[in-house]
Amino acid sequence: MSLRIVVCVKYVPDATGDRHFAEDLTVDRDDVDGLLSELDEYAVEQALQIADEADEAEITVLTVGPEDAKDALRKALSMGADKAVHVEDDDLHGTDALGTSLVLAKAVEKTGYDLVICGMASTDGTMGVLPALLAERLGVPQVTLLSEVSVEGGPNGTVKGRRDGDTASEQLEASLPAVVSVTDQSGEARYPSFKGIMAAKKKPVTSWDLEDLEIEADEVGLEGAWTAVDSAAERPARTAGTIVKDEGEGGKQLAAFLAERKFV
């Protein structure tokens, strides 16, 4: 019996671009390039490693987003995932983490799964709560923030992992089905090969909308969001710093500067 792995990925604005909010205080995605969230690349990598160790496994990458979000799916497919699911609907605009967890849960259930793997957070919202919300909606165990993960016993087996804290490491496990999230310490994500890039063009990408998932429009989007941005202001331009010239009193001047600002 094949181990069914679903990897949740997100299409995010390039962090090196000029990011800003639109008039409705949602992220303006039209004026900046997008890409597969770097933290989700680690999730794809761990899925591939688990699949390599399994007798038989199938990896589905899943995203919720606009038309361009297919680029994130293609990247994951070129890394080695088998197929993809894209949930796209105009009514999803402005959906918060709670709404996104609902959409992902419905899509995961429709796809079929034994293990769901997520990155530790998205590089745009950086909330880090979605894996826990998703596990709650699916009614399955969650094992989050893992720097090491493995599966034993196939689809009816156990997922095990190590969570590293500031002072100690925990060894965790849960019976499948389950949701896990992995950190950026779980292992460097592989680069897509030319063969992988070409193969990705032929791999299936299924598209669903809210109707396919039996979700009402008022459950998601700005109308259904439990959180909202009330106001936003651009970051002030950087100003010139204070230059301390060392003419024998540089150390004292530096100490005084730090003390004045309560850094020491």
Side-chain angles (χ1 to χ4, degrees):
M1 187 175 180
S2 179
L3 176 67
R4 299 169 299 172
I5 304 172
V6 177
V7 185
C8 297
V9 301
K10 189 175 183 181
Y11 181 73
V12 299
D14 188 342
T16 64
D18 183 19
R19 296 175 295 173
H20 53 274
F21 287 109
E23 290 184 4
D24 60 1
L25 295 180
T26 61
V27 177
D28 188 344
R29 301 178 183 273
D30 294 331
D31 295 334
V32 62
D33 292 333
L35 43 76
L36 170 62
S37 176
E38 180 184 357
L39 293 174
D40 290 341
E41 291 188 18
Y42 295 98
V44 176
E45 176 61 32
Q46 291 308 304
L48 294 170
Q49 292 189 24
I50 291 171
D52 288 342
E53 295 296 323
D55 293 333
E56 186 178 354
E58 182 179 63
I59 301 172
T60 302
V61 284
L62 165 65
T63 196
V64 177
E67 173 66 24
D68 290 344
K70 283 188 172 67
D71 292 343
L73 295 177
R74 290 298 179 193
K75 173 69 178 292
L77 292 172
S78 66
M79 291 172 67
D82 300 299
K83 60 181 182 179
V85 173
H86 179 204
V87 181
E88 179 188 8
D89 197 298
D90 290 342
D91 288 325
L92 286 168
H93 175 71
T95 302
D96 63 0
L98 281 162
T100 301
S101 70
L102 170 63
V103 178
L104 287 174
K106 292 285 189 180
V108 166
E109 290 175 334
K110 189 177 179 69
T111 300
Y113 71 103
D114 300 302
L115 177 66
V116 180
I117 306 179
C118 306
M120 61 187 288
S122 64
T123 55
D124 56 352
T126 64
M127 293 183 66
V129 298
L130 195 139
L133 293 172
L134 179 56
E136 177 67 20
R137 289 192 183 277
L138 293 173
V140 300
Q142 56 168 302
V143 186
T144 56
L145 301 176
L146 301 180
S147 55
E148 184 179 275
V149 60
S150 62
V151 170
E152 297 180 2
N156 298 315
T158 302
V159 58
K160 297 184 177 182
R162 188 185 78 243
R163 178 191 292 154
D164 295 325
D166 293 334
T167 59
S169 294
E170 301 173 280
Q171 296 292 335
L172 307 170
E173 65 177 68
S175 58
L176 297 178
V179 174
V180 304
S181 69
V182 298
T183 72
D184 54 357
Q185 302 301 309
S186 59
E188 196 69 27
R190 68 193 66 185
Y191 288 102
S193 64
F194 177 75
K195 181 180 179 181
I197 294 172
M198 297 306 294
K201 297 179 180 181
K202 299 180 180 180
K203 293 179 179 178
V205 177
T206 301
S207 295
W208 291 332
D209 58 17
L210 292 179
E211 184 177 355
D212 293 321
L213 299 178
E214 299 181 352
I215 297 174
E216 298 296 330
D218 60 4
E219 296 180 86
V220 294
L222 286 173
E223 183 179 350
W226 287 54
T227 58
V229 177
D230 291 330
S231 63
E234 291 189 13
R235 186 187 324 183
R238 295 185 64 178
T239 58
T242 300
I243 299 176
V244 176
K245 294 183 178 180
D246 189 4
E247 297 177 349
E249 298 290 326
K252 291 182 179 180
Q253 292 181 54
L254 179 59
F257 176 83
L258 294 174
E260 182 183 351
R261 287 157 179 78
K262 298 181 179 180
F263 291 139
V264 295

